[in-house]
Amino acid sequence: MALVGRCFLLFYVVELALNVAYRQGKFFCGDPHTVCWNWMDAVIVACGVADIFVVKKASAPSGLRALRLLRLARVLKIVKIFLTSELSWAEGHHFQTFMMAVIGVNTVVMGLESENRHNPLWPYLENILLVIYLFELLVRIKFQGCAFFIGGTRVPSSELIWNWLDSVIVCGGIVDNWIMPSITSAKRLMGVRGHSNGSFGEMMSVIRMARLARILRLIKIVKSVPPLYTLVIGIVRAMQGMGWVMLLTVGVLYICALLGVKLVGEGMLVPADLSEEDQTAVMGTFDNIPNSIFRLFKAMNADLGGFQPLLEHVGASKYVLMVYMVVTNWALFSILTAVVSDNMAKATEELEGEIAEDGVEEAKREREAKMAVLFKRIDTNRDDELTLDEFKGILADEASCQEICSITGLPPADLEDVFDLLATRKDGEEECSIKQIDFIQLLDIECGSVTARSIMKVEHRLMRLEVAFREAIDGPSPHPP
């Protein structure tokens, strides 16, 4: 361990020397927010060197040994990097794919752990996975803020349940894997005997049971695969249309069970020449309504084990059960399959339409955000208006022209038409300009599909222009539209 510590110290010394050589005088003098971290690094490295060459000597004061505790201050650098970093990648595809893989591995580990409980490798894997989950939770909370728990523009309401579930699972894992073992070790070191508290023990049992909810994380894997997610949602929505078929099935089972209890269970159709033991066995096939419904349900699925006494002693019962199975097994199942298939096709079509609309809205939001960033970058005077010279400067610059064309999906000629349509000239100014909001809105119309509503908006705008033109020539109209 001493060799490993010296290797780390050598790395820190080299890092400090390179930083000092690169920044020179600005390393110790400059922005206080940066310089304070530089001074902390210098002090920590100096304390590390003193710990090896001074504190290790027998003649060194014992108080200097406390200097090695300053090495723990490097944890603050990790906190600083975490607080100042841009964490939008937490919502990216690559990070989400990595977390889905971790969830899959965790599920496999839980299965293997249930088969081999005494493997010493499991605690280490559990702690590694818990660290990953804790890191993911902290990153998402840092990026989303309070919206992680209460919802907002970045967090849809459907994600709140998963956010709270993740928080409970991670907190339960921290208590079970880190806090409780630490308390137990501290008690053992202090010589305190552990006394099991009934209510606390029950609470820990509930926490351990809640950790089984990690299996529900697999649903996120299903959601991350669009075809599989569409199939699952289609099945769920199709199941909602099964209510009337299920009601019909329950009604058929109840009527058949009631007839069986009245005719067979009460001995009305039981042959009189049978022995008393055989009559009791035959009548027992329809002893009461609940048991009869269950046996008929099993017969509906081709399990006739509950009707063996009836089939052996009453020959006509074979044909009655044949008719019953044709009606229930063939007809009802066919109806059920048809209903589920039809509802699933409709649900899948509706879901695909919703996904397409969500994709269009998401693309629109991304386009508006990119256009807003681009507009602010090229708006040199920061008046939220784009002049003709500024617009021509965009089209003249090859990189900016390619960027705006890729964002809007329009060639430069169409962009010039958009500018000419919206450009206005203020009183006393010779140069035309266009407002940011008008430019983005017209681009949304230009990039979107033509609908009846958009045509009506154009007609209404033309009517208003016509009225304004007539008012400018003939005077105000008494009844403007």
Side-chain angles (χ1 to χ4, degrees):
M1 294 300 294
L3 179 60
V4 175
R6 294 192 178 190
C7 291
F8 275 108
L9 179 61
L10 178 62
F11 173 79
Y12 292 147
V13 171
V14 172
E15 178 198 17
L16 180 63
L18 292 176
N19 279 330
V20 172
Y22 177 74
R23 300 178 185 274
Q24 297 180 356
K26 295 181 179 180
F27 185 85
F28 295 104
C29 300
D31 184 13
H33 297 285
T34 304
V35 170
C36 64
W37 294 104
N38 297 338
W39 276 99
M40 186 186 72
D41 285 343
V43 171
I44 291 174
V45 172
C47 291
V49 174
D51 182 36
I52 293 178
F53 296 102
V54 179
V55 178
K56 294 295 183 182
K57 296 182 179 180
S59 60
S62 59
L64 292 178
R65 299 183 184 274
L67 294 177
R68 64 184 64 183
L69 296 177
L70 291 177
R71 290 179 293 179
L72 298 177
R74 279 192 169 266
V75 179
L76 297 177
K77 291 199 69 174
I78 301 178
V79 177
K80 180 242 183 182
I81 294 173
F82 179 78
L83 294 177
T84 57
S85 298
E86 201 277 325
L87 302 176
S88 60
W89 50 265
E91 302 292 332
H93 174 71
H94 297 291
F95 184 72
Q96 294 299 323
T97 303
F98 169 74
M99 290 308 305
M100 293 303 105
V102 171
I103 293 171
V105 170
N106 191 9
T107 306
V108 174
V109 168
M110 290 177 65
L112 296 175
E113 186 178 2
S114 63
E115 296 295 329
N116 186 8
R117 300 178 181 274
H118 304 289
N119 193 326
L121 185 63
W122 302 140
Y124 297 100
L125 290 177
E126 286 284 341
N127 286 319
I128 292 174
L129 292 172
L130 182 58
V131 169
I132 295 175
Y133 289 141
L134 178 61
F135 174 75
E136 180 212 13
L137 183 66
L138 293 178
V139 166
R140 291 171 60 194
I141 293 176
K142 169 62 173 59
F143 177 67
Q144 298 175 357
C146 296
F148 180 85
F149 297 103
I150 61 178
T153 56
R154 290 182 177 179
V155 183
S157 57
S158 58
E159 292 291 331
L160 289 180
I161 298 177
W162 294 108
N163 293 345
W164 281 98
L165 179 63
D166 289 343
S167 303
V168 171
I169 292 173
V170 172
C171 293
I174 291 174
V175 172
D176 191 22
N177 283 17
W178 296 344
I179 296 180
M180 293 308 302
S182 301
I183 295 176
T184 303
S185 300
K187 287 183 178 181
R188 189 181 299 112
L189 291 175
M190 291 186 296
V192 179
R193 294 183 179 181
H195 298 283
S196 58
N197 192 332
S199 59
F200 185 75
E202 292 178 359
M203 183 185 69
M204 291 307 304
S205 299
V206 172
I207 291 177
R208 293 188 180 97
M209 291 179 63
R211 293 180 62 196
L212 295 176
R214 291 177 296 178
I215 300 175
L216 296 177
R217 286 175 174 264
L218 287 175
I219 300 178
K220 285 192 171 184
I221 298 180
V222 175
K223 189 176 180 181
S224 63
V225 182
L228 188 59
Y229 178 70
T230 302
L231 178 62
V232 171
I233 296 299
I235 293 175
V236 172
R237 293 187 179 182
M239 297 293 288
Q240 298 175 359
M242 291 175 53
W244 293 110
V245 180
M246 297 300 296
L247 182 61
L248 176 62
T249 304
V250 172
V252 171
L253 290 175
Y254 177 77
I255 291 172
C256 293
L258 183 61
L259 290 174
V261 170
K262 292 296 182 181
L263 299 177
V264 179
E266 295 181 2
M268 295 179 61
L269 296 181
V270 177
D273 55 347
L274 296 178
S275 63
E276 183 177 354
E277 182 179 355
D278 293 338
Q279 288 182 359
T280 303
V282 172
M283 295 167 60
T285 56
F286 288 95
D287 51 351
N288 55 55
I289 296 294
N291 291 338
S292 300
I293 291 177
F294 180 70
R295 293 190 186 98
L296 288 170
F297 179 76
K298 292 173 64 179
M300 183 179 177
N301 293 275
D303 183 3
L304 300 177
F307 295 101
Q308 286 301 321
L310 181 64
L311 295 173
E312 291 177 1
H313 300 291
V314 183
S317 63
K318 298 182 178 65
Y319 306 103
V320 176
L321 286 176
M322 286 174 58
V323 175
Y324 168 79
M325 293 182 66
V326 167
V327 173
T328 57
N329 197 323
W330 295 3
L332 285 180
F333 278 176
S334 299
I335 295 173
L336 181 63
T337 303
V339 170
V340 171
S341 300
D342 184 56
N343 289 337
M344 185 173 177
K346 293 180 180 178
T348 303
E349 184 178 357
E350 293 176 358
L351 182 61
E352 290 177 350
E354 293 175 3
I355 293 176
E357 292 178 0
D358 292 341
V360 172
E361 290 296 327
E362 182 66 23
K364 178 182 176 181
R365 287 193 294 269
E366 291 181 0
R367 183 171 63 250
E368 290 180 354
K370 292 179 180 178
M371 283 301 304
V373 173
L374 179 62
F375 198 100
K376 289 181 180 179
R377 191 172 72 235
I378 61 181
D379 183 18
T380 56
N381 52 6
R382 298 293 185 270
D383 59 352
D384 290 334
E385 291 187 0
L386 190 64
T387 62
L388 181 60
D389 290 338
E390 291 173 338
F391 185 74
K392 289 182 177 181
I394 298 174
L395 299 182
D397 183 66
E398 184 177 357
S400 299
C401 183
Q402 291 180 355
E403 182 178 3
I404 192 172
C405 290
S406 63
I407 292 174
T408 60
L410 300 176
D414 291 344
L415 290 173
E416 291 180 358
D417 291 339
V418 171
F419 187 89
D420 292 338
L421 287 173
L422 292 181
T424 57
R425 183 181 290 106
K426 295 182 180 180
D427 296 337
E429 295 183 1
E430 298 181 357
E431 193 175 20
C432 297
S433 62
I434 181 175
K435 294 183 179 180
Q436 174 184 353
I437 186 171
D438 294 335
F439 187 64
I440 294 177
Q441 287 179 353
L442 187 60
L443 285 177
D444 288 336
I445 297 174
E446 183 70 23
C447 298
S449 58
V450 179
T451 61
R453 183 182 301 176
S454 62
I455 295 176
M456 292 176 63
K457 288 182 178 179
V458 173
E459 292 178 350
H460 183 68
R461 186 168 185 178
L462 291 175
M463 292 174 62
R464 292 178 63 89
L465 290 174
E466 182 182 2
V467 171
F469 182 72
R470 288 182 177 179
E471 287 180 354
I473 298 177
D474 303 332
S477 175
H479 300 289

